[in-house]
């Protein structure tokens, strides 16, 4: 998914996170591009790319489990 929270109200984001959890609990994996910190705090694993966008991006800056 590409930034699924873009333009959503905070309460809608909460509902989306609950839906994501149901999908994960069902045994599936979700891969998305996201910048919303509340969503990122609910991830199990994150890969941060950069350092910038476009031709200046694409390097793995950080990767790992969210603790």
């Amino acid at each position: 998914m590409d930034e699924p929270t873009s333009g959503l109200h905070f309460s809608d984001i909460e509902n989306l996170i609950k839906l994501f959890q149901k999908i994960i609990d069902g045994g599936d994996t979700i891969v998305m591009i996201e910048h919303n910190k509340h969503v990122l705090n609910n991830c199990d694993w994150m890969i941060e790319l950069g350092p910038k966008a476009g031709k200046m991006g694409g390097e793995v800056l950080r990767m790992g489990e969210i603790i």
Side-chain angles (χ1 to χ4, degrees):
M1 291 180 236
D2 187 3
E3 298 190 51
T5 63
S6 184
L8 294 180
H9 186 271
F10 186 75
S11 63
D12 294 325
I13 294 172
E14 286 291 324
N15 290 331
L16 191 60
I17 290 171
K18 290 175 186 175
L19 177 61
F20 290 159
Q21 193 57 55
K22 286 181 182 181
I23 292 169
I24 293 165
D25 290 345
D28 293 306
T29 299
I30 298 174
V31 177
M32 73 176 81
I33 298 167
E34 186 56 73
H35 297 98
N36 182 291
K37 291 184 181 190
H38 189 62
V39 173
L40 296 176
N41 287 336
N42 283 278
C43 293
D44 295 327
W45 186 268
M46 185 177 358
I47 300 170
E48 183 176 359
L49 300 173
K52 296 180 180 178
K55 293 178 184 179
M56 300 299 292
E59 293 182 39
V60 176
L61 301 177
R62 286 184 263 180
M63 176 172 52
E65 239 178 303
I66 307 302
I67 300 173

